Amino acid sequence: MAKTNSGLVNYAKAQHGKPYWYGTFGQTASAALYAAKKKQYPAYYTAKDFSKQYGKRVHDCAGLIKGYLMSATPTSTPVYNSKQDVGSNTMYNQAKEKGKISTFKKVPGQCVFKANAVGVKTHVGVYIGNNKVEEAKGHAYGVVTSSITSGWTHWAQHKD
């Protein structure tokens, strides 16, 4: 199935309110997934509420985009694709169309990024229109809607 900007917007919106788990891309939260991710990324799995999120679809920031790319629908189980398993910085670097946020034409379905002091893109979200971004913000927040003016520094059209 061809992937589109509008499809990414619809997927991201469908994930609104769902939990953030570092290193995930749309899998269903479970004890087994928690154990695997805690072993892989122990510093990110210190909160006490993970078990309360079992049964819900979970993503990290880049996983919100990867979840769309690896899933047939907003509720289907993603099928892992190692070629699409990249972080936000690589996602930005692989894009053919990209730039600073000052040049962003606000096209729904394009990715927006936050960069650190040395320019590494450390966070990614999906522009959904009306100056809003859907992002998997962090474990304490989950997938939320934020403003395009809340620190986004770059934009890119995802290569896929």
Side-chain angles (χ1 to χ4, degrees):
M1 163 168 61
K3 297 297 182 171
T4 65
N5 281 30
S6 61
L8 179 55
V9 168
N10 292 336
Y11 180 89
K13 286 180 173 181
Q15 308 317 310
H16 185 89
K18 295 195 168 87
Y20 174 105
W21 283 27
Y22 189 83
T24 62
F25 50 88
Q27 303 101 308
T28 300
S30 66
L33 182 62
Y34 171 74
K37 292 301 169 185
K38 184 173 176 69
K39 182 177 180 182
Q40 188 178 12
Y41 305 110
Y44 291 95
Y45 285 84
T46 58
K48 304 295 182 204
D49 63 345
F50 285 97
S51 64
K52 294 176 186 172
Q53 298 170 342
Y54 293 173
K56 296 179 181 177
R57 194 173 181 111
V58 292
H59 302 81
D60 68 8
C61 68
L64 191 59
I65 291 92
K66 293 185 289 190
Y68 170 65
L69 296 172
M70 296 180 198
S71 300
T73 72
T75 57
S76 65
T77 301
V79 177
Y80 182 75
N81 180 339
S82 62
K83 290 179 182 176
Q84 295 170 327
D85 191 7
V86 298
S88 54
N89 197 58
T90 300
M91 204 176 279
Y92 179 82
N93 290 338
Q94 288 177 344
K96 291 183 175 101
E97 296 178 61
K98 58 188 167 188
K100 293 188 176 184
I101 205 71
S102 61
T103 67
F104 186 42
K105 293 181 175 73
K106 297 183 180 177
V107 176
Q110 288 188 330
C111 298
V112 292
F113 298 83
K114 292 183 179 181
N116 66 17
V118 295
V120 174
K121 309 317 176 276
T122 58
H123 187 61
V124 61
V126 178
Y127 183 72
I128 60 172
N130 297 319
N131 292 316
K132 299 293 182 192
V133 175
E134 202 69 24
E135 63 175 309
K137 189 172 181 178
H139 186 73
Y141 306 94
V143 180
V144 299
T145 305
S146 63
S147 170
I148 191 66
T149 61
S150 62
W152 301 100
T153 60
H154 292 77
W155 67 273
Q157 175 66 45
H158 194 280
K159 70 177 185 72
D160 292 327

